[in-house]
Amino acid sequence: MRKRITGLVLCISILISCFAFGAIQTSAADTSKNTAGADYGLPGKIDDGNILHCFNWKYNDIKNELKSIAEAGFTAVQTSPAQPGDTSGKWYWLYQPCGFYVNYNDLGNRSELQSLCTEAKKYGIKVVVDIVANHLTGDHGKIQDDLKDGKYWHNNGKVNDWNNRNQLTKYNVGDYADLKTEDSYVQSVVKKYLNDLKSIGVSGFRFDAAKHIGTPAEGDNFFKMVKDVGLWSYGEILDNPGGNAAEVMKEYTKYIGVNDCYYSGELTGGMRDKKVVTNVGHWSKKGVDAAKLVYMAETHDTFSNNGNEGWTKNLDQKVIDRSYAILASRGDAQALYLSRPNSTDRESIYAGNKGSTHYKSKEVAAVNHFKNAMVGRKQSYTTGDGCDVVCRQGGAVIASANGSSGTKTVPNADGLVKPGTYTDEVSGSKWTVTSTTMTGSLGSTGIAVFYSTAPAGPSASATASTSYNTDTMKVTLSFENATSAQYSIDGGEYTSYKNGQVITIGQNVDYGESTKISVKAYDGTEWSSPATYTYTKEDPNAKQRVYFDNSSYNWKSVYAYIYSGADNNGKWPGQAMKKDSSTGYYVLDIPETLSDGNIIFTESDSETTPNRYPANKEPGLPLEGKTKIFKAGNTFEVYNPVKPKPTEAPTEAPTQAATSAPTEANTEAPSQTATQTINGLIGDANEDNKVNIKDATLIQKALASLAELSENAEKLADVNQNNRIDIKDATCIQKFTAMMDGSGNAGKPYGAVS
């Protein structure tokens, strides 16, 4: 089933039969401990493991592979739809079903599906079935009789605005009429089908084209009904769901799970292009619960379609495996591994044909074993020495971005991996871990997996946002598997704290400066390695900007294209960035509507410009509502620009147009430190040779982008001489005009404040 491409995202495909995961509901079968599953080290819940996508496999073929699937560490298998298709043969007919009932199709019959579920239970494996509920076949003469009435269908034409939620949920996608999923009778028909699958032994559902089915907040209780069925469920929500995307995703995750297609595509694209990915997610960074997300190195759509939509089909399996290693080893989501079809041509891929069994490979199984052994343990993501790294409390998974083998030294993120010597489950090589680094040799797969199943040792942590724009911020200190703990601020002496104790930081810290908190815990035998957390204080009045350090690229010009959904900062390639005299970098202000958008840099406004980052067809770099800088090595990080202070004072005293006090105040002007040449009175922001409330007002307007100051006026407005203009300068002038100092003592001249 075809759909329109709506964004520059690698993982968008042309069919609405991709997939999306998220932890949501678990049935009694999910939460109970299964002896056979325990024998293979499989978790009791789908949420805690990974899923093998047996795309197009017959039920009997899956059944015959169950032992190998369990040995490879997969907690669940996903089948293609069990509904009867419009016709048989090519894979996509299963996504054009005739109704909501189990009947014979290319995968097998009802009894074979039931037999698969019964046998899978013996191994502790859950069976997830794909559900097509947004539409049925385009030939309505073939659909089940009770749904043929036009009152059960929308008749609004095709979607043409892919950011409009009403169109997405009530208009046709391609040539397939949109089912009225908000109708109570339609819901009862689908619910009967879901309960029938449940009675057969199915443990979960994947909903095709879920973003085209509304949420209860939009008047459609379809997914509320799904949640009431009581099985683990997730829905396909490709790219952007339209509207206020993050809020819409949060609505879905009240009932079903969703996929992070953006991040999955970014990581696989990074492996393809031999570049590490510093980003740690997409929807989770916008407030969507990470436990309700699923990642996938590739999907059946990105493999089975032709053209740009099938962008992963020609990638080496090793590229996919390295991406899967990072996605699947994380503890905050599930990951799905595709059994690749035996053909790369869309029209030569047939339902019922068993795909690749590469899932049995040592590297894939090792990642799954790691995931299963690390359930409930902390995690941290980092990069280093050309590798993407997932550290868990007990071990790590390392994947070389360019696939290279040989010796690597990578960070021990947050000191989660206990120092010692470990054996790589993939290559058998030894890895030496210290409190800060992990060194060892990658084998030919470019993947290393090592861990200890011993009980986790003592650990300490600090919890708060990594940045704040208030005067102070509270940080919660915790510890686990320990009897006591201590913390240190900015390298100072360690102080004991109680579990859950809250401390306050930020007082007397300037904007742009960071506070580092180190914590460690003691279990009566040993101390954990100190874990250090950094918190940056940001100016609440500062504009969000993006900077480009051109010193290593030497581009003739720099353009920035910013997009968020259907919104952007102008047609490609966006806007030209301007040289910033205070930093030497190219700079561009970010419109508020694009604060959380993505950005692509190019050297010129030509469509064929050879210099751009990220590369063609890759998603842009995430802005995340922060001021950031693009630097050498293609790094993109948070940046707090502070004007550099002069290394020495000028040899001559600054020239000053007037040395007497303003007539209104009849006192001395604010003091001036001899750090820069300034023409005028310190505090005289409007350069009228007076310091009064008008100057404070002008500074406030400048901070709110309602007024501009000349270069000389900016120097005069910096009353406290800290090399930037902020609200403290306006406050200083207000106190000065009120004839008060910082302590409330009237009559004294008020100078620079710290």
Side-chain angles (χ1 to χ4, degrees):
M1 178 175 182
R2 296 187 176 274
K3 67 192 300 182
R4 181 175 175 177
I5 304 301
T6 61
L8 301 175
V9 182
L10 290 172
C11 61
I12 298 176
S13 62
I14 199 169
L15 298 181
I16 59 170
S17 50
C18 186
F19 35 95
F21 274 171
I24 180 70
Q25 286 279 113
T26 56
S27 66
D30 285 333
T31 57
S32 62
K33 190 74 172 180
N34 186 288
T35 303
D39 292 343
Y40 290 96
L42 304 182
K45 298 193 297 182
I46 298 176
D47 312 60
D48 292 330
N50 293 321
I51 302 98
L52 176 64
H53 188 189
C54 297
F55 176 55
N56 286 334
W57 288 33
K58 288 184 172 66
Y59 304 133
N60 284 340
D61 286 337
I62 302 175
K63 179 180 174 181
N64 292 335
E65 290 279 344
L66 284 172
K67 185 175 185 295
S68 295
I69 293 171
E71 290 173 342
F74 287 99
T75 304
V77 292
Q78 179 182 303
T79 76
S80 295
Q83 298 154 266
D86 185 341
T87 186
S88 62
K90 295 173 182 178
W91 66 275
Y92 46 77
W93 289 116
L94 289 178
Y95 292 89
Q96 301 170 37
C98 296
F100 297 100
Y101 49 93
V102 181
N103 200 354
Y104 174 81
N105 63 22
D106 289 318
L107 308 183
N109 58 33
R110 179 189 181 88
S111 64
E112 289 168 338
L113 175 58
Q114 186 166 18
S115 178
L116 166 62
C117 294
T118 300
E119 189 69 14
K121 187 176 182 181
K122 297 177 182 178
Y123 292 91
I125 295 174
K126 313 298 187 298
V127 176
V128 177
V129 171
D130 207 345
I131 308 293
V132 182
N134 174 69
H135 59 277
L136 294 175
T137 177
D139 184 353
H140 276 208
K142 295 182 179 181
I143 67 174
Q144 63 185 76
D145 290 339
D146 60 338
L147 292 179
K148 288 181 178 179
D149 195 312
K151 67 182 180 180
Y152 298 127
W153 301 87
H154 294 121
N155 296 287
N156 300 315
K158 296 182 179 180
V159 176
N160 55 61
D161 181 354
W162 291 80
N163 195 49
N164 185 309
R165 283 294 295 167
N166 185 63
Q167 287 197 23
L168 285 180
T169 59
K170 293 181 173 62
Y171 283 47
N172 297 350
V173 181
D175 298 325
Y176 305 98
D178 193 73
L179 191 60
K180 278 189 178 179
T181 51
E182 70 270 27
D183 184 89
S184 59
Y185 181 74
V186 171
Q187 291 175 17
S188 70
V189 171
V190 179
K191 186 174 185 178
K192 180 180 178 181
Y193 173 57
L194 299 181
N195 278 322
D196 187 34
L197 289 173
K198 184 177 180 180
S199 70
I200 288 175
V202 170
S203 295
F205 310 120
R206 176 258 189 193
F207 285 90
D208 181 70
K211 83 172 185 179
H212 296 285
I213 299 174
T215 67
E218 297 167 322
D220 189 339
N221 288 322
F222 182 87
F223 286 120
K224 184 177 183 298
M225 173 274 293
V226 170
K227 184 176 180 180
D228 291 341
V229 172
L231 294 187
W232 184 92
S233 303
Y234 73 95
E236 173 200 35
I237 302 182
L238 287 178
D239 55 270
N240 193 320
N244 187 340
E247 294 306 312
V248 173
M249 294 295 265
K250 292 175 188 176
E251 282 298 319
Y252 278 113
T253 55
K254 292 178 181 178
Y255 309 95
I256 62 171
V258 295
N259 61 295
D260 193 334
C261 193
Y262 286 102
Y263 178 57
S264 298
E266 181 180 3
L267 192 58
T268 300
M271 294 294 180
R272 175 197 62 192
D273 298 334
K274 302 179 179 180
K275 300 174 182 176
V276 297
V277 173
T278 57
N279 195 11
V280 294
H282 181 78
W283 292 118
S284 60
K285 296 173 74 172
K286 295 179 179 293
V288 178
D289 185 357
K292 295 182 178 179
L293 295 174
V294 68
Y295 304 125
M296 56 281 190
E298 68 178 339
T299 75
H300 70 269
D301 280 330
T302 62
F303 186 94
S304 299
N305 283 300
N306 293 334
N308 292 334
E309 292 77 25
W311 69 276
T312 67
K313 68 172 60 182
N314 294 317
L315 296 183
D316 191 293
Q317 181 73 65
K318 289 185 177 181
V319 171
I320 300 299
D321 291 348
R322 296 199 306 275
S323 177
Y324 177 78
I326 299 301
L327 295 169
S329 57
R330 294 176 54 160
D332 54 359
Q334 300 83 52
L336 186 143
Y337 189 85
L338 175 69
S339 165
R340 286 180 150 188
N342 294 322
S343 173
T344 57
D345 178 60
R346 181 176 188 269
E347 301 303 318
S348 300
I349 298 173
Y350 293 93
N353 285 1
K354 181 178 176 180
S356 168
T357 59
H358 182 72
Y359 74 85
K360 300 178 184 180
S361 68
K362 184 178 292 187
E363 56 269 29
V364 174
V367 170
N368 292 334
H369 296 159
F370 174 89
K371 170 95 166 188
N372 299 338
M374 296 293 109
V375 172
R377 299 195 184 186
K378 293 181 180 179
Q379 69 173 16
S380 185
Y381 175 80
T382 188
T383 61
D385 205 357
C387 298
D388 298 271
V389 183
V390 173
C391 290
R392 301 289 295 273
Q393 197 173 22
V397 171
I398 301 165
S400 170
N402 63 12
S404 63
S405 57
T407 301
K408 302 285 184 180
T409 296
V410 299
N412 182 359
D414 294 331
L416 286 182
V417 187
K418 185 177 179 180
T421 302
Y422 296 79
T423 301
D424 175 16
E425 190 174 322
V426 181
S427 70
S429 64
K430 299 296 182 182
W431 282 74
T432 301
V433 177
T434 70
S435 62
T436 58
T437 62
M438 303 184 292
T439 302
S441 180
L442 289 175
S444 60
T445 65
I447 299 170
V449 180
F450 53 86
Y451 57 98
S452 170
T453 57
S459 66
S461 61
T463 305
S465 173
T466 57
S467 62
Y468 59 104
N469 57 17
T470 52
D471 189 48
T472 61
M473 182 178 70
K474 296 184 182 300
V475 180
T476 301
L477 306 179
S478 305
F479 58 82
E480 295 180 1
N481 305 315
T483 56
S484 62
Q486 296 179 347
Y487 75 95
S488 166
I489 296 180
D490 292 332
E493 292 185 4
Y494 274 94
T495 303
S496 297
Y497 69 85
K498 295 181 179 180
N499 200 9
Q501 181 175 331
V502 177
I503 63 173
T504 300
I505 63 172
Q507 192 170 7
N508 299 323
V509 174
D510 286 337
Y511 296 133
E513 293 184 355
S514 297
T515 300
K516 291 186 177 181
I517 298 179
S518 298
V519 290
K520 59 183 181 179
Y522 185 65
D523 65 358
T525 302
E526 62 177 346
W527 284 95
S528 65
S529 298
T532 301
Y533 301 84
T534 302
Y535 305 104
T536 303
K537 188 173 185 177
E538 298 179 347
D539 188 346
N541 298 300
K543 291 181 179 179
Q544 183 188 355
R545 292 183 168 95
V546 64
Y547 290 82
F548 187 99
D549 180 358
N550 196 35
S551 60
S552 63
Y553 300 100
N554 296 315
W555 289 2
K556 294 180 180 179
S557 58
V558 183
Y559 285 78
Y561 178 74
I562 309 172
Y563 66 92
S564 179
D567 195 13
N568 56 59
N569 68 329
K571 65 179 183 179
W572 178 263
Q575 297 172 268
M577 300 181 70
K578 296 181 179 180
K579 194 75 170 288
D580 177 36
S581 59
S582 64
T583 63
Y585 303 139
Y586 284 83
V587 65
L588 182 70
D589 289 344
I590 307 298
E592 186 175 350
T593 56
L594 298 173
S595 175
D596 288 319
N598 294 66
I599 188 167
I600 300 172
F601 298 103
T602 59
E603 184 175 13
S604 74
D605 57 1
S606 170
E607 289 283 353
T608 58
T609 178
N611 290 322
R612 59 172 282 169
Y613 192 86
N616 188 31
K617 299 187 183 300
E618 286 191 36
L621 302 170
L623 291 169
E624 302 171 310
K626 302 179 184 298
T627 288
K628 289 190 169 184
I629 186 170
F630 184 75
K631 300 170 62 177
N634 299 331
T635 58
F636 195 53
E637 59 190 36
V638 175
Y639 178 57
N640 293 288
V642 177
K643 295 179 181 178
K645 296 181 180 180
T647 56
E648 58 183 33
T651 55
E652 297 182 6
T655 303
Q656 191 166 334
T659 59
S660 62
T663 56
E664 294 90 343
N666 194 29
T667 185
E668 296 180 7
S671 63
Q672 176 182 331
T673 58
T675 58
Q676 52 186 334
T677 301
I678 305 174
N679 294 316
L681 293 172
I682 295 297
D684 184 15
N686 61 5
E687 298 183 279
D688 64 354
N689 201 31
K690 301 175 182 178
V691 178
N692 53 32
I693 198 66
K694 293 180 180 180
D695 298 298
T697 302
L698 181 59
I699 291 174
Q700 291 172 324
K701 287 183 177 181
L703 292 173
S705 301
L706 299 176
E708 293 186 0
L709 300 177
S710 68
E711 184 175 351
N712 188 65
E714 284 188 359
K715 297 176 181 178
L716 295 174
D718 182 16
V719 180
N720 60 10
Q721 297 288 279
N722 66 349
N723 295 300
R724 63 172 178 270
I725 301 173
D726 53 36
I727 199 64
K728 290 182 179 180
D729 298 304
T731 302
C732 180
I733 294 174
Q734 290 170 335
K735 289 181 178 181
F736 169 70
T737 58
M739 300 289 292
M740 297 181 66
D741 68 4
S743 302
N745 297 317
K748 294 183 179 180
Y750 188 72
V753 295
S754 59

